[in-house]
Every structure is written in structure tokens, then in C-alpha cells.
């Protein structure tokens, strides 16, 4: 890993793409976060993009977080990024609360977004459930802060899992409305990047539910810190049906648990789903599950080992995030200042 003694050669002015994405430190990272997001983050870092990645701790507190645990989770997510291949000398890596411009632009966008748009957000409905009257206002307005995260850097591309698609459409709507209201073209219309075989990794216990770090059942997910035995046990116990695996992609329709495990295999192996089925079609789960466990252990165990090593030195993680936050502010601060000018906020000389 390259050590970040200074900010990445930022402004990276020659790059045509600027990538931003974030992950909430609301728990330990899952295989869903890795395959749906972090793996793409690393690929885009190596792809001549200007990359900015963030632990979105302000988002995490939209649901209750124990303060000490939040700090630990923020470091652990940072360790997960670095252990997976995010190089702080190439990408800006920081936690959101160290860059106050996120909250400042978030407020402006809360005033741009319309209640009707926000009321359509399915993630709020899922997360609030029957408890709507009692959840935080922040959970409701979460997508306006997410729009600010992205547009504060004039990011052009945002790699995310499938579950974030609607929030990214809202980000585009906010940028377009701001530009239209203030007769400007200041904010770019961002492109979502939702790619790969595992853009929606499902729970190992229920193929209709997303794998999630806040699911009360630990057996529902593979954590990025799970050891080899735990990974093998969780896949062995993963819910499946009784049929053999199909040889064609069509045969996975109406078999959500089978589709999920095959997609995970394909994403880990960097293979198209059909190529996986060419190999395993006709086999029983009792044969396929150990293959999947072995592959997952081979890919994830070195990352878990590196995360463990990084977590032994929290001061070094904090130092890296401090450098990242300063680099982020260099980009964010003039964009916020210009936004204030456009909106008509008086600034003293
Ligand atoms: N199951 C998943 N499959 C594919 N991608 C996923 N992502 C999350 N879960 C899956 C992607 O990971 C990025 C970061 O997500 P997040 O932590 O900001 O929020 P989330 O989507 O709400 O993730 P969790 O794990 O479900 O967190 P909690 O439990 O706290 O709500 C995003 O790009 C997301 O798409």
C-alpha cells in the first residue's frame, strides 16, 4: 500500500471523469458492499479517473449509532477500502464530517428538492417501515445530503449498488432543478455506474432481501472481516431450493437464492454468469457451496487480514483521513462558495 504523505496529485485536471462514492460506517462492511461498491471503486481508481471516496458518517447517524462504535466503524470502513486496494496516494479518502461543506450544500439542496420527490423514495419506506412517525428527519432527507456529497465535487460518475439507483435519479433531478431555477449550468448531471454480476447481493437467509450490514441476523451476510470457517459455515447454511443448478441463465428465474449464490460466484471470479453455469450447471448445492466458500475465502481472507493489520494502528488511519479531508475541502470549498454566490448568500469581504 502506498502511504499518503500528501494529498493525491489533485485537481487531476486532465481527467475527464470525476468519481465520487461513499459508504455508511453504520456497521461492519459486507460482501454486498464489497461486490456492489468497493470492488468497482478500486477498478475506477485504476482507470484514469479522478476518484474521491468517503465514509459517510453524517448519513450513518440518521439511525442511532453508539458514538464509540461509530468512530470504530469509520476506521474499519476506511481499513476495508485500503485493504481492498484503494490507495490514498491515488484516491482522496476521508470521512464526511471532516468536510463541513457537505452539510452546508445539503441544506441548500433540502430547499431545492420537493416533498413529492422525497415521498417517493423507497429506501426511506423500507427503512422506516411501520415506524414512520418515530424515525429521524435525517432519515427522510438523507437523499438531499447524498446529492450534496456528489455535486460538491462536480462528480460525473457514481459507482453504487442497485439499491442506490433511485437516490441517484434524485441527485440528477436536484442538479437539473437548481440549474433551471438559477439559470445556470453549474452542476453536472451525474451518471450512475451500476455494473457487474452482483449489483444487488441478497441476504443468505432470504433471497428477497438485500444483504445488509444492519440486518439483525449475522447469518444473513458475509462480513468482510469473517474468517474462513465462518464464511464456509454461512454459505453451508445459506437458504437454497432442492433442485440442481441450471445450465442456462433463464433457469435462475424464480430461484432468488440460487441466483444470488451464482451471482456472488460470478462476481468473485470475474466471470459472466453464463460461464459459471457452463461449469456448474447440473450440480447440486452440496457440491457448489464448497466451491463458492473456497473462492470467497481465497478472495476475501487476504483483505480481512490486511484490515486487521490496519486496525492495529488507528492513528495511521486517522492521519490518512485527515489528509484526505484537507484535499477534499480544496475542491469542495470553492464549489460551495460559488453555489452561495449563485443562490444570493451575502459574503463579507
Ligand atoms: N447487498 C448489496 N448488494 C450490492 N451493493 C450493496 N451496497 C450495499 N448493500 C449492497 C452498496 O454499498 C454502497 C454503500 O452502501 P451504504 O453503506 O451507504 O448503505 P446501504 O446501501 O444502506 O448499505 P447497507 O449495508 O444496507 O447499510 P445499512 O444496513 O446501514 O442500511 C452503496 O453503493 C450500496 O449500493
Amino acid at each position: 500500500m502506498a502511504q499518503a504523505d500528501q494529498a493525491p496529485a489533485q485537481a487531476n485536471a486532465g481527467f475527464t471523469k470525476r468519481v465520487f462514492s461513499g459508504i455508511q460506517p453504520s456497521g461492519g462492511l459486507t460482501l454486498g458492499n464489497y461486490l456492489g461498491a468497493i470492488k468497482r471503486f478500486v477498478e475506477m481508481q485504476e482507470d484514469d479517473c479522478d476518484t474521491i471516496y468517503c465514509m459517510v458518517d453524517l448519513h450513518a447517524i440518521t439511525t442511532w449509532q453508539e458514538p464509540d462504535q461509530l468512530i470504530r466503524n469509520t476506521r474499519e470502513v476506511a481499513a476495508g477500502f485500503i485493504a481492498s486496494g484503494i490507495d490514498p496516494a491515488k484516491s482522496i479518502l476521508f470521512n464526511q464530517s471532516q468536510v463541513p461543506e457537505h452539510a452546508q450544500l445539503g441544506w441548500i439542496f433540502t430547499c431545492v428538492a420537493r416533498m413529492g420527490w422525497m415521498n417517493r423514495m423507497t429506501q426511506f419506506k423500507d427503512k422506516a417501515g411501520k415506524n414512520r412517525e418515530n424515525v429521524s428527519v435525517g432519515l427522510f432527507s438523507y437523499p438531499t445530503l447524498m446529492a450534496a456529497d456528489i455535486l460538491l465535487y462536480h462528480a460525473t460518475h457514481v459507482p453504487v449498488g442497485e439499491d442506490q439507483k433511485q437516490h441517484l435519479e434524485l441527485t440528477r433531478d436536484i442538479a437539473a432543478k437548481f440549474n433551471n431555477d438559477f439559470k445556470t449550468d453549474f452542476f453536472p448531471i451525474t451518471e450512475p455506474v451500476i455494473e457487474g454480476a452482483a449489483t444487488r447481493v441478497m441476504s443468505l437467509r432470504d433471497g428477497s432481501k438485500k444483504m445488509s450490514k444492519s440486518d439483525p441476523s449475522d447469518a444473513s451476510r458475509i462480513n468482510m472481516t469473517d474468517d474462513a470457517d465462518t464464511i464456509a459455515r454461512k454459505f453451508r447454511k445459506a437458504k437454497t431450493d432442492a433442485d440442481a443448478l441450471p445450465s442456462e441463465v433463464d433457469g435462475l428465474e424464480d430461484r432468488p437464492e440460487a441466483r444470488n449464490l451464482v451471482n456472488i460466484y460470478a462476481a468473485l471470479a470475474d466471470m459472466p454468469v453464463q460461464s459459471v453455469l457452463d461449469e456448474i450447471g447440473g450440480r447440486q448445492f452440496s457440491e457448489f457451496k464448497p466451491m463458492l466458500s473456497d473462492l470467497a475465502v481465497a478472495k476475501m481472507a487476504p483483505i480481512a487480514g490486511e484490515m486487521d493489520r490496519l486496525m492495529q494502528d488507528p492513528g495511521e488511519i486517522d492521519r490518512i483521513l485527515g489528509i484526505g479531508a484537507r484535499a477534499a475541502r480544496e475542491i469542495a470549498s470553492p464549489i460551495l462558495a460559488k453555489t452561495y454566490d449563485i443562490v444570493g448568500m451575502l459574503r463579507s469581504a
Side-chain angles (χ1 to χ4, degrees):
M1 179 198 91
Q3 295 292 310
D5 289 308
Q6 53 192 29
Q10 205 51 54
N12 282 337
F15 292 141
T16 49
K17 277 190 193 174
R18 178 172 283 163
V19 174
F20 177 93
S21 200
I23 293 198
Q24 296 186 75
S26 47
L29 291 166
T30 70
L31 187 62
N33 295 133
Y34 178 73
L35 294 176
I38 300 174
K39 194 163 175 287
R40 287 293 295 141
F41 298 175
V42 176
E43 288 160 7
M44 295 188 93
Q45 171 187 267
E46 301 307 329
D47 206 17
D48 258 15
C49 300
D50 181 6
T51 43
I52 305 173
Y53 298 125
C54 186
M55 272 57 67
V56 286
D57 47 7
L58 296 174
H59 283 282
I61 61 163
T62 56
T63 58
W64 172 250
Q65 307 296 324
E66 287 297 335
D68 290 348
Q69 191 57 39
L70 179 60
I71 289 184
R72 195 187 146 75
N73 287 340
T74 303
R75 292 189 182 123
E76 190 177 302
V77 174
F81 276 63
I82 297 167
S84 300
I86 296 300
D87 180 347
K90 292 184 183 168
S91 294
I92 293 182
L93 185 65
F94 68 105
N95 60 306
Q96 189 185 24
S97 60
Q98 292 207 68
V99 180
E101 287 83 357
H102 285 252
Q104 291 173 283
L105 186 61
W107 177 253
I108 304 263
F109 287 165
T110 300
C111 299
V112 172
R114 305 289 92 182
M115 284 298 286
W117 303 355
M118 303 297 289
N119 278 330
R120 285 195 284 276
M121 294 297 112
T122 55
Q123 191 177 82
F124 174 74
K125 290 179 194 160
D126 291 346
K127 289 197 171 179
K130 295 196 176 82
N131 201 23
R132 265 184 103 125
E133 295 299 308
N134 231 343
V135 294
S136 72
V137 177
L139 190 68
F140 182 74
S141 62
Y142 180 114
T144 59
L145 181 58
M146 180 167 158
D149 299 338
I150 296 163
L151 295 171
L152 190 54
Y153 301 95
H154 279 187
T156 56
H157 292 76
V158 184
V160 283
E162 179 72 35
D163 60 318
Q164 294 298 330
K165 192 169 175 210
Q166 195 185 32
H167 289 166
L168 287 179
E169 279 158 12
L170 187 93
T171 298
R172 292 162 64 95
D173 289 344
I174 287 175
K177 180 161 168 33
F178 182 98
N179 288 347
N180 191 50
D181 287 353
F182 294 101
K183 315 246 171 319
T184 176
D185 58 1
F186 187 57
F187 287 114
I189 306 299
T190 307
E191 286 298 325
V193 181
I194 303 173
E195 288 172 353
T199 54
R200 191 168 174 79
V201 178
M202 308 310 280
S203 158
L204 299 181
R205 308 302 301 160
D206 177 352
S208 68
K209 265 173 65 182
K210 189 184 81 149
M211 183 181 284
S212 178
K213 52 175 117 65
S214 58
D215 191 314
S217 163
D218 190 58
S220 70
R221 61 178 165 265
I222 305 290
N223 301 303
M224 280 180 67
T225 49
D226 282 345
D227 61 24
D229 288 348
T230 309
I231 292 176
R233 177 170 41 79
K234 287 180 177 175
F235 277 129
R236 198 165 51 245
K237 292 197 169 164
K239 188 176 166 203
T240 50
D241 52 47
D243 296 338
L245 286 146
S247 304
E248 302 293 334
V249 177
D250 288 355
L252 290 170
E253 249 173 59
D254 303 323
R255 295 182 66 186
E257 283 85 15
R259 186 172 60 232
N260 188 37
L261 296 187
V262 173
N263 283 349
I264 291 174
Y265 190 98
L268 284 169
D270 278 318
M271 283 167 74
V273 173
Q274 185 55 54
S275 308
V276 175
L277 293 177
D278 291 344
E279 234 177 74
I280 61 161
R283 297 194 199 198
Q284 299 296 327
F285 282 102
S286 55
E287 254 185 287
F288 174 55
K289 281 181 170 180
M291 289 170 64
L292 177 58
S293 299
D294 289 350
L295 178 62
V297 169
K299 296 281 178 177
M300 303 310 292
I303 297 177
E306 180 61 6
M307 282 175 75
D308 191 41
R309 193 189 67 74
L310 291 163
M311 286 297 283
Q312 308 297 321
D313 190 356
E316 175 60 11
I317 296 179
D318 297 359
R319 194 184 70 84
I320 289 171
L321 297 184
I323 291 167
R326 284 193 288 281
R329 288 198 81 179
E330 271 179 36
I331 304 173
S333 178
I335 290 179
L336 180 73
K338 176 78 180 156
T339 310
Y340 274 16
D341 287 345
I342 292 171
V343 172
M345 300 287 169
L346 185 142
R347 281 197 287 146
S348 304

